[in-house]
mmCIF file of all heavy atoms in Angstrom:
data_model
loop_
_atom_site.group_PDB
_atom_site.id
_atom_site.type_symbol
_atom_site.label_atom_id
_atom_site.label_comp_id
_atom_site.label_asym_id
_atom_site.label_seq_id
_atom_site.Cartn_x
_atom_site.Cartn_y
_atom_site.Cartn_z
ATOM 1 N N LYS A 23 191.982 38.522 198.574
ATOM 2 C CA LYS A 23 193.299 38.174 197.882
ATOM 3 C C LYS A 23 194.057 37.104 198.627
ATOM 4 O O LYS A 23 194.465 36.098 197.987
ATOM 5 C CB LYS A 23 194.123 39.418 197.777
ATOM 6 C CG LYS A 23 195.262 39.345 196.806
ATOM 7 C CD LYS A 23 196.048 40.642 196.640
ATOM 8 C CE LYS A 23 197.012 40.816 197.669
ATOM 9 N NZ LYS A 23 197.994 41.825 197.438
ATOM 10 N N GLU A 24 194.099 37.122 199.961
ATOM 11 C CA GLU A 24 194.807 36.136 200.751
ATOM 12 C C GLU A 24 194.056 34.812 200.769
ATOM 13 O O GLU A 24 194.612 33.723 200.719
ATOM 14 C CB GLU A 24 194.943 36.635 202.240
ATOM 15 C CG GLU A 24 195.719 35.726 203.055
ATOM 16 C CD GLU A 24 197.131 35.439 202.610
ATOM 17 O OE1 GLU A 24 197.749 36.200 201.884
ATOM 18 O OE2 GLU A 24 197.681 34.345 203.004
ATOM 19 N N ILE A 25 192.737 34.815 200.820
ATOM 20 C CA ILE A 25 191.922 33.609 200.790
ATOM 21 C C ILE A 25 192.203 32.916 199.466
ATOM 22 O O ILE A 25 192.445 31.683 199.479
ATOM 23 C CB ILE A 25 190.521 33.816 201.113
ATOM 24 C CG1 ILE A 25 190.281 34.258 202.567
ATOM 25 C CG2 ILE A 25 189.658 32.698 200.666
ATOM 26 C CD1 ILE A 25 188.898 34.657 202.902
ATOM 27 N N ILE A 26 192.075 33.636 198.337
ATOM 28 C CA ILE A 26 192.374 33.008 197.046
ATOM 29 C C ILE A 26 193.708 32.483 196.938
ATOM 30 O O ILE A 26 193.951 31.382 196.436
ATOM 31 C CB ILE A 26 192.035 34.033 195.922
ATOM 32 C CG1 ILE A 26 190.493 34.314 195.881
ATOM 33 C CG2 ILE A 26 192.456 33.513 194.613
ATOM 34 C CD1 ILE A 26 190.071 35.497 195.028
ATOM 35 N N ARG A 27 194.710 33.170 197.504
ATOM 36 C CA ARG A 27 196.095 32.668 197.553
ATOM 37 C C ARG A 27 196.125 31.319 198.249
ATOM 38 O O ARG A 27 196.868 30.441 197.872
ATOM 39 C CB ARG A 27 197.047 33.693 198.100
ATOM 40 C CG ARG A 27 198.512 33.314 197.992
ATOM 41 C CD ARG A 27 199.400 34.257 198.714
ATOM 42 N NE ARG A 27 199.282 34.195 200.222
ATOM 43 C CZ ARG A 27 199.802 33.205 200.972
ATOM 44 N NH1 ARG A 27 200.421 32.221 200.396
ATOM 45 N NH2 ARG A 27 199.647 33.160 202.245
ATOM 46 N N ARG A 28 195.422 31.240 199.393
ATOM 47 C CA ARG A 28 195.481 29.946 200.189
ATOM 48 C C ARG A 28 194.753 28.863 199.495
ATOM 49 O O ARG A 28 195.038 27.703 199.763
ATOM 50 C CB ARG A 28 194.931 30.256 201.557
ATOM 51 C CG ARG A 28 195.831 31.107 202.366
ATOM 52 C CD ARG A 28 195.404 31.278 203.756
ATOM 53 N NE ARG A 28 196.301 32.094 204.499
ATOM 54 C CZ ARG A 28 196.616 31.822 205.770
ATOM 55 N NH1 ARG A 28 196.099 30.804 206.372
ATOM 56 N NH2 ARG A 28 197.520 32.607 206.400
ATOM 57 N N TYR A 29 193.835 29.161 198.648
ATOM 58 C CA TYR A 29 193.111 28.119 197.890
ATOM 59 C C TYR A 29 194.104 27.439 196.763
ATOM 60 O O TYR A 29 193.991 26.305 196.454
ATOM 61 C CB TYR A 29 191.949 28.668 197.115
ATOM 62 C CG TYR A 29 190.610 28.565 197.809
ATOM 63 C CD1 TYR A 29 190.087 29.662 198.364
ATOM 64 C CD2 TYR A 29 189.920 27.447 197.769
ATOM 65 C CE1 TYR A 29 188.825 29.543 199.079
ATOM 66 C CE2 TYR A 29 188.699 27.252 198.401
ATOM 67 C CZ TYR A 29 188.103 28.359 199.021
ATOM 68 O OH TYR A 29 186.966 28.255 199.685
ATOM 69 N N THR A 30 194.981 28.345 196.269
ATOM 70 C CA THR A 30 195.877 27.909 195.176
ATOM 71 C C THR A 30 196.455 26.537 195.327
ATOM 72 O O THR A 30 196.368 25.734 194.356
ATOM 73 C CB THR A 30 196.891 28.988 194.889
ATOM 74 O OG1 THR A 30 196.135 30.202 194.620
ATOM 75 C CG2 THR A 30 197.687 28.616 193.659
ATOM 76 N N PRO A 31 197.184 26.180 196.399
ATOM 77 C CA PRO A 31 197.802 24.826 196.373
ATOM 78 C C PRO A 31 196.806 23.714 196.398
ATOM 79 O O PRO A 31 196.970 22.646 195.752
ATOM 80 C CB PRO A 31 198.600 24.846 197.677
ATOM 81 C CG PRO A 31 198.148 25.962 198.462
ATOM 82 C CD PRO A 31 197.491 26.907 197.582
ATOM 83 N N TYR A 32 195.641 23.942 196.975
ATOM 84 C CA TYR A 32 194.533 22.895 196.949
ATOM 85 C C TYR A 32 193.970 22.741 195.529
ATOM 86 O O TYR A 32 193.670 21.588 195.059
ATOM 87 C CB TYR A 32 193.392 23.166 198.001
ATOM 88 C CG TYR A 32 193.950 23.354 199.425
ATOM 89 C CD1 TYR A 32 193.623 24.504 200.137
ATOM 90 C CD2 TYR A 32 194.760 22.413 200.005
ATOM 91 C CE1 TYR A 32 194.089 24.751 201.353
ATOM 92 C CE2 TYR A 32 195.203 22.655 201.254
ATOM 93 C CZ TYR A 32 194.848 23.771 202.020
ATOM 94 O OH TYR A 32 195.326 24.028 203.213
ATOM 95 N N LEU A 33 193.785 23.795 194.894
ATOM 96 C CA LEU A 33 193.227 23.789 193.590
ATOM 97 C C LEU A 33 194.232 23.288 192.522
ATOM 98 O O LEU A 33 193.833 22.671 191.536
ATOM 99 C CB LEU A 33 192.713 25.129 193.198
ATOM 100 C CG LEU A 33 191.535 25.653 194.081
ATOM 101 C CD1 LEU A 33 191.124 27.043 193.685
ATOM 102 C CD2 LEU A 33 190.338 24.744 194.019
ATOM 103 N N LYS A 34 195.502 23.556 192.745
ATOM 104 C CA LYS A 34 196.495 23.066 191.881
ATOM 105 C C LYS A 34 196.488 21.541 191.864
ATOM 106 O O LYS A 34 196.656 20.922 190.786
ATOM 107 C CB LYS A 34 197.903 23.519 192.336
ATOM 108 C CG LYS A 34 198.934 23.576 191.350
ATOM 109 C CD LYS A 34 200.179 24.264 191.857
ATOM 110 C CE LYS A 34 200.919 24.940 190.693
ATOM 111 N NZ LYS A 34 201.983 25.775 191.047
ATOM 112 N N GLU A 35 196.206 20.893 192.950
ATOM 113 C CA GLU A 35 196.173 19.442 193.058
ATOM 114 C C GLU A 35 195.013 18.955 192.123
ATOM 115 O O GLU A 35 195.136 17.691 191.675
ATOM 116 C CB GLU A 35 195.891 18.994 194.482
ATOM 117 C CG GLU A 35 197.053 19.260 195.413
ATOM 118 C CD GLU A 35 196.682 18.893 196.916
ATOM 119 O OE1 GLU A 35 195.645 18.260 197.118
ATOM 120 O OE2 GLU A 35 197.503 19.272 197.774
ATOM 121 N N ILE A 36 194.003 19.669 191.928
ATOM 122 C CA ILE A 36 192.915 19.199 191.037
ATOM 123 C C ILE A 36 192.835 19.936 189.715
ATOM 124 O O ILE A 36 191.886 19.890 188.981
ATOM 125 C CB ILE A 36 191.487 19.239 191.786
ATOM 126 C CG1 ILE A 36 191.201 20.604 192.181
ATOM 127 C CG2 ILE A 36 191.529 18.289 192.899
ATOM 128 C CD1 ILE A 36 189.726 20.756 192.708
ATOM 129 N N ASN A 37 193.923 20.680 189.464
ATOM 130 C CA ASN A 37 194.124 21.349 188.180
ATOM 131 C C ASN A 37 192.958 22.347 187.863
ATOM 132 O O ASN A 37 192.499 22.380 186.711
ATOM 133 C CB ASN A 37 194.221 20.297 187.057
ATOM 134 C CG ASN A 37 194.751 20.918 185.782
ATOM 135 O OD1 ASN A 37 195.389 21.979 185.699
ATOM 136 N ND2 ASN A 37 194.382 20.299 184.563
ATOM 137 N N LEU A 38 192.654 23.217 188.811
ATOM 138 C CA LEU A 38 191.708 24.281 188.594
ATOM 139 C C LEU A 38 192.210 25.581 189.097
ATOM 140 O O LEU A 38 192.964 25.590 190.045
ATOM 141 C CB LEU A 38 190.356 23.978 189.364
ATOM 142 C CG LEU A 38 189.512 22.810 188.920
ATOM 143 C CD1 LEU A 38 188.330 22.596 189.864
ATOM 144 C CD2 LEU A 38 189.022 22.964 187.456
ATOM 145 N N THR A 39 191.804 26.672 188.445
ATOM 146 C CA THR A 39 192.001 28.032 189.043
ATOM 147 C C THR A 39 190.924 28.271 189.976
ATOM 148 O O THR A 39 189.835 27.527 189.962
ATOM 149 C CB THR A 39 192.014 29.001 187.926
ATOM 150 O OG1 THR A 39 190.651 29.135 187.300
ATOM 151 C CG2 THR A 39 193.062 28.783 186.843
ATOM 152 N N TYR A 40 190.976 29.403 190.725
ATOM 153 C CA TYR A 40 189.928 29.673 191.629
ATOM 154 C C TYR A 40 188.582 29.893 190.969
ATOM 155 O O TYR A 40 187.573 29.393 191.292
ATOM 156 C CB TYR A 40 190.300 30.869 192.514
ATOM 157 C CG TYR A 40 189.272 31.167 193.539
ATOM 158 C CD1 TYR A 40 189.067 30.455 194.631
ATOM 159 C CD2 TYR A 40 188.374 32.325 193.292
ATOM 160 C CE1 TYR A 40 188.065 30.762 195.555
ATOM 161 C CE2 TYR A 40 187.351 32.553 194.233
ATOM 162 C CZ TYR A 40 187.222 31.806 195.385
ATOM 163 O OH TYR A 40 186.267 32.099 196.280
ATOM 164 N N THR A 41 188.621 30.662 189.826
ATOM 165 C CA THR A 41 187.357 30.963 189.096
ATOM 166 C C THR A 41 186.805 29.675 188.488
ATOM 167 O O THR A 41 185.613 29.418 188.567
ATOM 168 C CB THR A 41 187.668 31.957 188.046
ATOM 169 O OG1 THR A 41 188.331 33.080 188.624
ATOM 170 C CG2 THR A 41 186.320 32.512 187.500
ATOM 171 N N GLN A 42 187.662 28.771 187.936
ATOM 172 C CA GLN A 42 187.135 27.532 187.495
ATOM 173 C C GLN A 42 186.493 26.713 188.589
ATOM 174 O O GLN A 42 185.526 26.049 188.397
ATOM 175 C CB GLN A 42 188.337 26.711 186.840
ATOM 176 C CG GLN A 42 188.893 27.250 185.541
ATOM 177 C CD GLN A 42 190.080 26.566 185.034
ATOM 178 O OE1 GLN A 42 190.766 25.916 185.790
ATOM 179 N NE2 GLN A 42 190.455 26.842 183.818
#
Side-chain angles (χ1 to χ4, degrees):
K23 195 171 87 162
E24 183 60 24
I25 287 172
I26 291 169
R27 187 186 70 76
R28 288 182 180 222
Y29 266 102
T30 301
Y32 305 126
L33 296 177
K34 202 172 208 172
E35 291 175 12
I36 61 171
N37 192 26
L38 291 178
T39 65
Y40 182 73
T41 313
Q42 290 172 345

